[in-house]
């Protein structure tokens, strides 16, 4: 990839996965708010362990594989449809399904500022990692950088949730992200070499937290 093209790809990834991109990610916690309520995440160390688990053994690992499949299959409508249906089926709770589908819908709407036929192929909505993967693949942003940017953005959103829940401060939040840097890079590299055969999650406590969040009596976040 020419240097000019590489810079353009970087700029697009930074824009698409920045807090300013209008997907509304700040409205969702992925069950983390329930984990805070239950006393499972009470400080920066807890949060780092929580995110490390989700990245290596939970839904974020599955998201990375779904993104990679969508990136590779962005030009194949049947392949995109299949991975889209799989992504929906893997949403383990109503809250997670709502989160991934609404984020994906908002992402695709905003991505219309970068016109490409893949947007018509996907239609108005798709699971978030599928939407990001297909659009990124169509714009040739590089698979591993896209995975790293996606995972880092998701971790950053979780840090923001923890800050707003009063578990950590901003300085500790930055420290959590710094501590996860090598983990995110490793997961991105592994997912880029993986396939849908590697899908699987063992983050049972996180799944239960997501389910229980549906009935949390008072909450800040939609999931």
């Amino acid at each position: 990839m020419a240097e000019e093209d590489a810079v353009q790809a970087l700029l697009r990834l930074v824009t698409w996965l920045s807090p300013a991109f209008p997907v509304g990610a700040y409205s969702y916690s992925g069950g983390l708010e329930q984990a805070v309520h239950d006393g499972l995440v009470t400080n920066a160390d807890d949060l780092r362990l929580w995110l490390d688990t989700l990245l290596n053994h939970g839904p974020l690992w599955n998201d990375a594989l779904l993104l990679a499949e969508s990136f590779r299959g962005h030009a194949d409508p049947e392949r995109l449809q299949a991975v889209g249906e799989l992504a929906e089926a893997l949403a383990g709770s109503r809250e997670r399904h709502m989160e991934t589908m609404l984020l994906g819908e908002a992402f695709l709407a905003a991505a219309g500022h970068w016109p490409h036929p893949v947007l018509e192929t996907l239609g108005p909505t798709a699971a978030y990692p599928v939407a990001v993967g297909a659009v990124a693949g169509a714009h040739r942003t590089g698979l591993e950088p896209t995975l790293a940017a996606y995972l880092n953005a998701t971790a950053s959103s979780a840090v923001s949730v923890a800050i707003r829940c009063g578990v950590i401060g901003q300085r500790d939040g930055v420290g959590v992200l710094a501590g996860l840097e090598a983990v995110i890079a490793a997961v991105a590299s592994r997912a880029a070499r993986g396939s849908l055969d590697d899908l699987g999650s063992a983050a049972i406590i996180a799944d239960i937290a997501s389910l229980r969040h549906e009935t949390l009596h008072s909450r800040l976040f939609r999931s």
Side-chain angles (χ1 to χ4, degrees), residues 9-22 107 114:
L10 174 61
L11 287 172
R12 289 182 180 180
L13 285 177
V14 169
T15 299
W16 294 339
L17 295 166
S18 77
F21 205 64
F107 180 88
W114 293 264

Side-chain angles (χ1 to χ4, degrees), residues 17-90:
L17 295 166
S18 77
F21 205 64
V23 297
Y26 62 86
S27 301
Y28 304 92
S29 80
L32 179 56
E33 183 178 20
Q34 183 67 51
V36 170
H37 180 269
D38 292 341
L40 299 173
V41 176
T42 62
N43 54 46
D45 289 339
D46 290 346
L47 179 61
R48 187 187 184 286
L49 178 59
W50 180 270
L51 290 173
D52 188 305
T53 302
L54 296 187
L55 286 161
N56 280 293
H57 309 293
L60 294 186
W61 166 244
N62 285 341
D63 275 2
L65 292 171
L66 293 166
L67 188 157
E69 172 68 9
S70 305
F71 187 101
R72 297 188 187 100
H74 70 271
D76 184 339
E78 291 185 3
R79 190 172 178 182
L80 275 186
Q81 181 180 355
V83 70
E85 292 173 354
L86 178 59
E88 277 202 69
L90 288 174

